[in-house]
Short mmCIF file of all heavy atoms in Angstrom, two decimals:
data_model
loop_
_atom_site.label_atom_id
_atom_site.label_comp_id
_atom_site.label_asym_id
_atom_site.label_seq_id
_atom_site.Cartn_x
_atom_site.Cartn_y
_atom_site.Cartn_z
N SER A 1010 0.84 -1.21 0.00
CA SER A 1010 0.00 0.00 0.00
C SER A 1010 0.86 1.24 0.00
O SER A 1010 2.04 1.22 0.30
CB SER A 1010 -0.92 -0.01 1.24
OG SER A 1010 -0.11 -0.04 2.41
N SER A 1011 0.21 2.35 -0.35
CA SER A 1011 0.92 3.61 -0.43
C SER A 1011 1.45 4.07 0.91
O SER A 1011 2.38 4.85 1.00
CB SER A 1011 0.00 4.69 -1.02
OG SER A 1011 -1.14 4.85 -0.18
N SER A 1012 0.84 3.54 1.99
CA SER A 1012 1.31 3.96 3.31
C SER A 1012 2.67 3.38 3.64
O SER A 1012 3.37 3.89 4.50
CB SER A 1012 0.29 3.53 4.37
OG SER A 1012 0.15 2.12 4.35
N SER A 1013 3.04 2.28 2.93
CA SER A 1013 4.35 1.68 3.21
C SER A 1013 5.45 2.21 2.31
O SER A 1013 6.58 1.79 2.42
CB SER A 1013 4.25 0.16 3.03
OG SER A 1013 3.90 -0.15 1.69
N PHE A 1014 5.12 3.11 1.35
CA PHE A 1014 6.15 3.69 0.47
C PHE A 1014 7.01 4.66 1.27
O PHE A 1014 6.51 5.39 2.12
CB PHE A 1014 5.53 4.43 -0.72
CG PHE A 1014 4.95 3.49 -1.74
CD1 PHE A 1014 3.93 3.93 -2.60
CD2 PHE A 1014 5.43 2.21 -1.87
CE1 PHE A 1014 3.41 3.08 -3.54
CE2 PHE A 1014 4.91 1.36 -2.82
CZ PHE A 1014 3.89 1.79 -3.65
N TYR A 1015 8.36 4.73 0.90
CA TYR A 1015 9.27 5.72 1.50
C TYR A 1015 9.60 6.73 0.42
O TYR A 1015 10.23 6.39 -0.59
CB TYR A 1015 10.55 5.07 2.02
CG TYR A 1015 11.58 6.09 2.46
CD1 TYR A 1015 11.42 6.80 3.65
CD2 TYR A 1015 12.70 6.35 1.67
CE1 TYR A 1015 12.35 7.73 4.04
CE2 TYR A 1015 13.62 7.28 2.06
CZ TYR A 1015 13.44 7.96 3.25
OH TYR A 1015 14.36 8.89 3.63
N ILE A 1016 9.15 7.93 0.57
CA ILE A 1016 9.39 9.00 -0.39
C ILE A 1016 10.39 9.97 0.24
O ILE A 1016 10.08 10.59 1.25
CB ILE A 1016 8.10 9.75 -0.75
CG1 ILE A 1016 7.08 8.75 -1.32
CG2 ILE A 1016 8.38 10.87 -1.73
CD1 ILE A 1016 5.75 9.38 -1.65
N PRO A 1017 11.61 10.08 -0.31
CA PRO A 1017 12.59 10.99 0.29
C PRO A 1017 12.12 12.42 0.12
O PRO A 1017 11.75 12.86 -0.96
CB PRO A 1017 13.87 10.71 -0.51
CG PRO A 1017 13.41 10.13 -1.80
CD PRO A 1017 12.14 9.38 -1.49
N MET A 1018 12.17 13.15 1.19
CA MET A 1018 11.75 14.55 1.20
C MET A 1018 12.96 15.44 0.96
O MET A 1018 14.11 15.07 1.20
CB MET A 1018 11.09 14.89 2.54
CG MET A 1018 9.91 13.99 2.89
SD MET A 1018 8.56 14.11 1.70
CE MET A 1018 8.04 15.79 2.02
N ALA A 1019 12.69 16.64 0.47
CA ALA A 1019 13.75 17.61 0.25
C ALA A 1019 14.34 18.04 1.58
O ALA A 1019 13.65 18.08 2.60
CB ALA A 1019 13.23 18.82 -0.52
N ALA A 1020 15.65 18.36 1.52
CA ALA A 1020 16.33 18.74 2.76
C ALA A 1020 15.74 20.03 3.29
O ALA A 1020 15.67 21.04 2.60
CB ALA A 1020 17.82 18.91 2.50
N GLY A 1021 15.35 20.01 4.48
CA GLY A 1021 14.76 21.19 5.10
C GLY A 1021 15.80 21.98 5.87
O GLY A 1021 16.97 21.63 5.96
N ASP A 1022 15.37 23.08 6.44
CA ASP A 1022 16.27 23.93 7.19
C ASP A 1022 16.70 23.30 8.50
O ASP A 1022 17.72 23.66 9.07
CB ASP A 1022 15.59 25.28 7.48
CG ASP A 1022 15.27 26.03 6.19
OD1 ASP A 1022 15.96 25.76 5.18
OD2 ASP A 1022 14.36 26.87 6.22
N ASP A 1023 15.92 22.34 8.97
CA ASP A 1023 16.24 21.76 10.27
C ASP A 1023 17.22 20.61 10.16
O ASP A 1023 17.64 20.07 11.18
CB ASP A 1023 14.94 21.27 10.94
CG ASP A 1023 14.17 20.28 10.06
OD1 ASP A 1023 14.49 20.24 8.84
OD2 ASP A 1023 13.28 19.60 10.58
N GLN A 1024 17.61 20.23 8.91
CA GLN A 1024 18.54 19.13 8.77
C GLN A 1024 19.97 19.64 8.94
O GLN A 1024 20.35 20.67 8.40
CB GLN A 1024 18.39 18.45 7.41
CG GLN A 1024 17.07 17.69 7.26
CD GLN A 1024 17.05 16.89 5.99
OE1 GLN A 1024 17.98 16.96 5.20
NE2 GLN A 1024 16.00 16.13 5.81
N VAL A 1025 20.82 18.92 9.65
CA VAL A 1025 22.20 19.30 9.93
C VAL A 1025 23.11 18.73 8.85
O VAL A 1025 23.06 17.52 8.58
CB VAL A 1025 22.63 18.79 11.32
CG1 VAL A 1025 24.08 19.19 11.61
CG2 VAL A 1025 21.70 19.32 12.38
N PRO A 1026 23.94 19.55 8.15
CA PRO A 1026 24.85 19.02 7.12
C PRO A 1026 25.91 18.14 7.75
O PRO A 1026 26.22 18.26 8.93
CB PRO A 1026 25.45 20.28 6.50
CG PRO A 1026 25.32 21.33 7.54
CD PRO A 1026 24.06 20.99 8.30
N PRO A 1027 26.48 17.24 6.97
CA PRO A 1027 27.51 16.35 7.51
C PRO A 1027 28.76 17.12 7.91
O PRO A 1027 28.99 18.25 7.46
CB PRO A 1027 27.79 15.39 6.35
CG PRO A 1027 27.35 16.14 5.13
CD PRO A 1027 26.20 16.99 5.56
N PRO A 1028 29.59 16.56 8.76
CA PRO A 1028 30.81 17.27 9.21
C PRO A 1028 31.78 17.58 8.08
O PRO A 1028 32.52 18.55 8.15
CB PRO A 1028 31.43 16.30 10.22
CG PRO A 1028 30.33 15.35 10.60
CD PRO A 1028 29.40 15.28 9.44
N GLU A 1029 31.78 16.74 7.02
CA GLU A 1029 32.71 16.99 5.93
C GLU A 1029 32.46 18.33 5.26
O GLU A 1029 33.38 19.02 4.83
CB GLU A 1029 32.62 15.86 4.89
CG GLU A 1029 33.14 14.51 5.38
CD GLU A 1029 32.13 13.80 6.25
OE1 GLU A 1029 31.00 14.33 6.39
OE2 GLU A 1029 32.45 12.72 6.79
N SER A 1030 31.22 18.74 5.14
CA SER A 1030 30.90 20.02 4.50
C SER A 1030 31.42 21.19 5.33
O SER A 1030 31.87 22.20 4.78
CB SER A 1030 29.39 20.14 4.30
OG SER A 1030 28.72 20.13 5.55
N HIS A 1031 31.39 21.07 6.66
CA HIS A 1031 31.94 22.12 7.50
C HIS A 1031 33.44 22.25 7.29
O HIS A 1031 33.98 23.36 7.18
CB HIS A 1031 31.64 21.82 8.98
CG HIS A 1031 30.21 22.05 9.36
ND1 HIS A 1031 29.64 23.31 9.38
CD2 HIS A 1031 29.23 21.19 9.72
CE1 HIS A 1031 28.36 23.22 9.76
NE2 HIS A 1031 28.09 21.93 9.96
N LEU A 1032 34.15 21.11 7.19
CA LEU A 1032 35.59 21.15 6.97
C LEU A 1032 35.93 21.74 5.61
O LEU A 1032 36.87 22.52 5.47
CB LEU A 1032 36.17 19.74 7.10
CG LEU A 1032 36.07 19.08 8.48
CD1 LEU A 1032 36.60 17.65 8.43
CD2 LEU A 1032 36.84 19.90 9.51
N LEU A 1033 35.16 21.37 4.60
CA LEU A 1033 35.40 21.89 3.26
C LEU A 1033 35.18 23.39 3.20
O LEU A 1033 35.98 24.14 2.62
CB LEU A 1033 34.48 21.17 2.27
CG LEU A 1033 34.75 21.41 0.78
CD1 LEU A 1033 36.12 20.87 0.39
CD2 LEU A 1033 33.67 20.76 -0.06
N GLU A 1034 34.10 23.84 3.82
CA GLU A 1034 33.81 25.27 3.82
C GLU A 1034 34.88 26.04 4.59
O GLU A 1034 35.31 27.12 4.17
CB GLU A 1034 32.44 25.50 4.45
CG GLU A 1034 32.02 26.97 4.47
CD GLU A 1034 30.64 27.14 5.06
OE1 GLU A 1034 30.00 26.12 5.40
OE2 GLU A 1034 30.21 28.30 5.20
N LYS A 1035 35.32 25.49 5.71
CA LYS A 1035 36.35 26.15 6.50
C LYS A 1035 37.67 26.23 5.74
O LYS A 1035 38.37 27.26 5.79
CB LYS A 1035 36.55 25.38 7.80
CG LYS A 1035 37.54 26.04 8.75
CD LYS A 1035 37.65 25.24 10.04
CE LYS A 1035 38.65 25.88 10.99
NZ LYS A 1035 38.77 25.11 12.26
N GLN A 1036 38.02 25.17 5.01
CA GLN A 1036 39.26 25.17 4.25
C GLN A 1036 39.25 26.24 3.16
O GLN A 1036 40.20 27.02 3.04
CB GLN A 1036 39.49 23.79 3.64
CG GLN A 1036 40.69 23.73 2.70
CD GLN A 1036 40.86 22.37 2.08
OE1 GLN A 1036 41.66 21.58 2.56
NE2 GLN A 1036 40.12 22.09 1.01
N PHE A 1037 38.19 26.29 2.37
CA PHE A 1037 38.15 27.25 1.28
C PHE A 1037 37.95 28.68 1.78
O PHE A 1037 38.34 29.63 1.09
CB PHE A 1037 37.04 26.87 0.29
CG PHE A 1037 37.48 25.83 -0.69
CD1 PHE A 1037 37.43 24.47 -0.38
CD2 PHE A 1037 37.97 26.19 -1.93
CE1 PHE A 1037 37.84 23.51 -1.27
CE2 PHE A 1037 38.39 25.24 -2.84
CZ PHE A 1037 38.33 23.89 -2.51
N GLU A 1038 37.38 28.84 2.93
CA GLU A 1038 37.31 30.17 3.52
C GLU A 1038 38.70 30.67 3.88
O GLU A 1038 39.04 31.85 3.66
CB GLU A 1038 36.42 30.14 4.77
CG GLU A 1038 36.32 31.48 5.49
CD GLU A 1038 35.65 32.55 4.66
OE1 GLU A 1038 34.92 32.21 3.71
OE2 GLU A 1038 35.86 33.75 4.96
N SER A 1039 39.54 29.77 4.41
CA SER A 1039 40.92 30.16 4.71
C SER A 1039 41.69 30.45 3.42
O SER A 1039 42.51 31.37 3.38
CB SER A 1039 41.61 29.06 5.50
OG SER A 1039 41.73 27.86 4.73
N PHE A 1040 41.41 29.68 2.36
CA PHE A 1040 42.05 29.96 1.08
C PHE A 1040 41.66 31.34 0.56
O PHE A 1040 42.49 32.08 0.03
CB PHE A 1040 41.65 28.90 0.04
CG PHE A 1040 42.27 27.55 0.29
CD1 PHE A 1040 41.75 26.41 -0.32
CD2 PHE A 1040 43.35 27.41 1.13
CE1 PHE A 1040 42.33 25.17 -0.09
CE2 PHE A 1040 43.92 26.18 1.37
CZ PHE A 1040 43.41 25.06 0.75
#
């Protein structure tokens, strides 16, 4: 049934980005 389907939702504002993105952003900011 449709109730058992998993539909991925778009990333919302409340989702926390992975730690790798913080490191990447910090590196290029220093560059």
Side-chain angles (χ1 to χ4, degrees):
S1010 60
S1011 60
S1012 60
S1013 62
F1014 287 156
Y1015 172 74
I1016 302 177
M1018 304 298 293
D1022 297 336
D1023 56 344
Q1024 291 188 356
V1025 180
E1029 292 79 5
S1030 63
H1031 286 293
L1032 295 176
L1033 190 64
E1034 182 179 357
K1035 184 178 180 180
Q1036 174 182 263
F1037 277 84
E1038 177 64 21
S1039 64
F1040 289 163

